[in-house]
Amino acid sequence: MAFMHSYLGTNSNAKTQAWKSPYAMKTIDLRSDTVTLPTDEMIEAIVSAHKSGRLGDDVIGEDDVVHELQEKTARILGKEAALLVTSGTQGNVISLLSQASRGDEIVVEEMSHTFLFEGGSMASLGGIFPKPVKGIRGYITPEVLEAAISPDDAHYAETAMVVIENTHNYAGGVIVRPEQVKALADTAHQHGLRVHCDGARLFNAAVALDVPAKVLVEDVDSVQICLSKGLSAPVGSLIAGTEEFIHEAHRWRKKLGGGMRQAGIIAAPGIVAIEKMVDRLRDDHANARYLYERLKDTEGLVIEKPETNILFLGLQNLNIDAAGIARELGKHSILVYGDYGNRTRLVLNRMVDRHDTERVADVLCSLLTSL
Ligand SMILES: Cc1ncc(COP(=O)(O)O)c(C=O)c1O
């Protein structure tokens, strides 16, 4: 599968490769919500954290801004404790290594980020065997999980965990509902498995359902949330769970080189992100729905109504592939990755307002109807 070879695709450097309009059109970047820049308030928060004297060496536990972010995040997620880590990938692998042992297997959805896009880290760093299963729109049903759990027999690896991705990126920002999380977690726990939630976009799910984020993770043992996607912070993720889990995770973070010194300069914008940026994710969802409404009747286009900020365009019936779409959109200073199989992924984010979204819809409508 082509997308397996390159996550970022052939135009991962599209920003520099895109054709530059002589009219200096604004670049509209729909490659990911990770392209969001920090807000002015975030930059001010970094400066005031520095001036307040609350920064310190977090490796020896002396940065009060980091403590504040960790405590606030634990509260928001309804967990005993939280830990700041460098990235979503690091948060996921730390969570898995902290709860499974060398030689164990972990059940993952076959199109999940932990399976496809994290460098095989659970295997290379932890000697853990990922066991991919097919989900329904990204969701591993309890029945599928049960069938995947290996018997207690020396021929098999011991099944230790299952991972839920919420929202599920590759399925198109699809939400895993609280009752689905509970059903899967109950089954996992009955079999003695731990449950990790890759909640890189958990807050998108929460605002879309109008529920507190903790409702989505009350049945899981560990969760990872990203500050640097739609929430617009420049760096960082947090993992949360029991005190015991965080104690173990802290060890793994150190081993993986994730102990950071004056990490309050990352935590300060992170506090702004979790306190002030969650609600505005609704704008991204509304823009994704707007694009869907404009495109849904295009002949030959396969498209599903987005639940959050990610919209996929299925190109299988059209006379253009994802690289072609990326090339054509690039001529209008609109950036998308060119290698998502025969699909194009559009990720609405804070840098793209309604006016920009209208321009994207205009360009796509005329491109797709001219094929
Ligand atoms: C669902 C999901 N999980 C985890 C990650 C990893 O986050 P990071 O890029 O911060 O390592 C991503 C990144 O795009 C993601 O989409």
Side-chain angles (χ1 to χ4, degrees):
M1 285 185 279
F3 54 85
M4 292 279 206
H5 299 303
S6 165
Y7 172 49
L8 298 180
T10 45
N11 70 331
S12 63
N13 199 19
K15 198 165 186 174
T16 47
Q17 287 171 9
W19 179 77
K20 295 278 186 292
S21 159
Y23 304 107
M25 237 182 289
K26 174 185 169 186
T27 297
I28 301 176
D29 198 339
L30 296 168
R31 289 172 301 169
S32 178
D33 42 12
T34 56
V35 301
T36 45
L37 298 176
T39 62
D40 290 349
E41 193 176 355
M42 289 176 177
I43 301 300
E44 281 155 21
I46 296 171
V47 174
S48 66
H50 174 51
K51 287 190 178 151
S52 70
R54 297 174 69 224
L55 296 178
D57 185 339
D58 187 54
V59 173
I60 52 174
E62 289 184 357
D63 193 307
D64 286 341
V65 189
V66 172
H67 295 159
E68 183 185 338
L69 173 64
Q70 291 177 164
E71 281 156 24
K72 284 185 162 153
T73 303
R75 210 172 313 129
I76 288 169
L77 296 175
K79 298 294 182 197
E80 286 175 15
L83 185 71
L84 176 66
V85 294
T86 57
S87 66
T89 300
Q90 190 184 64
N92 283 336
V93 75
I94 289 175
S95 300
L96 304 185
L97 301 190
S98 300
Q99 298 177 91
S101 305
R102 180 164 283 277
D104 284 349
E105 66 181 9
I106 294 182
V107 179
V108 287
E109 207 280 325
E110 65 178 7
M111 303 309 285
S112 64
H113 202 278
T114 39
F115 180 50
L116 290 179
F117 303 129
E118 299 190 358
S121 52
M122 75 174 92
S124 57
L125 301 173
I128 297 166
F129 174 62
K131 192 177 206 179
V133 295
K134 198 174 188 53
I136 298 177
R137 300 179 80 228
Y139 174 60
I140 302 173
T141 64
E143 296 71 32
V144 166
L145 174 64
E146 264 188 323
I149 296 171
S150 294
D152 185 9
D153 174 324
H155 288 88
Y156 301 99
E158 280 181 57
T159 316
M161 290 186 77
V162 60
V163 180
I164 300 176
E165 184 172 311
N166 200 5
T167 63
H168 193 289
N169 165 41
Y170 220 91
V174 172
I175 300 166
V176 184
R177 266 78 189 160
E179 58 278 13
Q180 292 178 303
V181 176
K182 181 171 176 9
L184 183 64
D186 284 354
T187 302
H189 290 145
Q190 279 155 21
H191 290 273
L193 273 58
R194 296 284 188 101
V195 184
H196 173 66
C197 173
D198 174 1
R201 297 187 181 82
L202 188 77
F203 291 107
N204 292 85
V207 300
L209 294 179
D210 252 323
V211 297
K214 64 179 162 198
V215 170
L216 290 160
V217 292
E218 61 195 4
D219 298 300
V220 308
D221 301 290
S222 59
V223 51
Q224 178 274 121
I225 57 120
C226 283
L227 301 169
S228 61
K229 300 204 162 52
L231 301 186
S232 303
V235 188
S237 278
L238 287 109
I239 51 178
T242 61
E243 297 272 7
E244 193 187 348
F245 161 69
I246 291 298
H247 181 74
E248 188 60 23
H250 188 261
R251 283 183 174 279
W252 273 110
R253 186 183 71 171
K254 182 69 187 156
K255 287 179 215 180
L256 295 175
M260 296 177 284
R261 301 297 177 178
Q262 285 72 38
I265 61 161
I266 292 171
I271 292 168
V272 178
I274 55 162
E275 290 191 330
K276 307 221 171 136
M277 304 300 285
V278 171
D279 230 42
R280 64 143 309 281
L281 295 173
R282 294 175 204 280
D283 298 346
D284 302 340
H285 299 178
N287 285 337
R289 274 197 310 275
Y290 170 85
L291 263 185
Y292 164 79
E293 290 299 332
R294 289 280 310 272
L295 296 172
K296 70 179 193 306
D297 297 325
T298 309
E299 213 182 318
L301 183 68
V302 177
I303 185 167
E304 257 186 48
K305 188 170 182 177
E307 294 189 338
T308 56
N309 66 326
I310 300 177
L311 181 67
F312 273 101
L313 310 181
L315 308 170
Q316 52 270 44
N317 305 323
L318 293 171
N319 193 21
I320 193 164
D321 61 9
I325 293 271
R327 229 176 4 255
E328 290 304 316
L329 292 184
K331 293 178 185 169
H332 297 267
S333 299
I334 299 168
L335 305 185
V336 294
Y337 286 135
D339 190 9
Y340 243 94
N342 58 2
R343 304 190 299 166
T344 289
R345 185 182 75 152
L346 309 173
V347 186
L348 281 299
N349 64 77
R350 193 179 60 79
M351 314 304 284
V352 180
D353 63 19
R354 176 53 63 93
H355 179 72
D356 301 329
T357 313
E358 286 168 4
R359 181 150 81 77
V360 174
D362 291 344
V363 170
L364 272 171
C365 282
S366 88
L367 171 64
L368 296 175
T369 50
S370 70
L371 296 172

